[in-house]
PDB file of all heavy atoms in Angstrom:
ATOM      1  N   PRO A  41      46.452  64.683 267.928  1.00 93.00           N
ATOM      2  CA  PRO A  41      46.507  65.461 266.674  1.00 93.00           C
ATOM      3  C   PRO A  41      47.586  64.990 265.695  1.00 93.00           C
ATOM      4  O   PRO A  41      47.460  65.207 264.484  1.00 93.00           O
ATOM      5  CB  PRO A  41      46.801  66.891 267.155  1.00 93.00           C
ATOM      6  CG  PRO A  41      46.337  66.920 268.574  1.00 93.00           C
ATOM      7  CD  PRO A  41      46.521  65.539 269.109  1.00 93.00           C
ATOM      8  N   ARG A  82      18.477  63.439 284.846  1.00 86.00           N
ATOM      9  CA  ARG A  82      18.073  62.667 283.665  1.00 86.00           C
ATOM     10  C   ARG A  82      16.954  61.694 284.010  1.00 86.00           C
ATOM     11  O   ARG A  82      16.010  61.528 283.236  1.00 86.00           O
ATOM     12  CB  ARG A  82      19.269  61.924 283.066  1.00 86.00           C
ATOM     13  CG  ARG A  82      20.270  62.865 282.438  1.00 86.00           C
ATOM     14  CD  ARG A  82      21.335  62.227 281.610  1.00 86.00           C
ATOM     15  NE  ARG A  82      21.770  60.913 281.995  1.00 86.00           N
ATOM     16  CZ  ARG A  82      22.918  60.367 281.646  1.00 86.00           C
ATOM     17  NH1 ARG A  82      23.753  61.057 280.908  1.00 86.00           N
ATOM     18  NH2 ARG A  82      23.247  59.168 282.027  1.00 86.00           N
ATOM     19  N   LEU A  85      13.734  63.641 284.404  1.00 81.00           N
ATOM     20  CA  LEU A  85      13.271  64.050 283.085  1.00 81.00           C
ATOM     21  C   LEU A  85      12.590  62.877 282.370  1.00 81.00           C
ATOM     22  O   LEU A  85      11.505  63.033 281.804  1.00 81.00           O
ATOM     23  CB  LEU A  85      14.449  64.573 282.260  1.00 81.00           C
ATOM     24  CG  LEU A  85      14.142  65.099 280.872  1.00 81.00           C
ATOM     25  CD1 LEU A  85      13.245  66.319 280.939  1.00 81.00           C
ATOM     26  CD2 LEU A  85      15.437  65.443 280.158  1.00 81.00           C
ATOM     27  N   ASP A 116     -14.577  92.793 276.115  1.00 93.00           N
ATOM     28  CA  ASP A 116     -14.113  94.170 275.913  1.00 93.00           C
ATOM     29  C   ASP A 116     -13.036  94.171 274.833  1.00 93.00           C
ATOM     30  O   ASP A 116     -11.845  94.086 275.122  1.00 93.00           O
ATOM     31  CB  ASP A 116     -13.565  94.736 277.229  1.00 93.00           C
ATOM     32  CG  ASP A 116     -13.267  96.224 277.157  1.00 93.00           C
ATOM     33  OD1 ASP A 116     -13.333  96.801 276.043  1.00 93.00           O
ATOM     34  OD2 ASP A 116     -12.953  96.806 278.209  1.00 93.00           O
TER      35      ASP A 116
END
Side-chain angles (χ1 to χ4, degrees):
R82 291 191 328 200
L85 182 64
D116 189 352

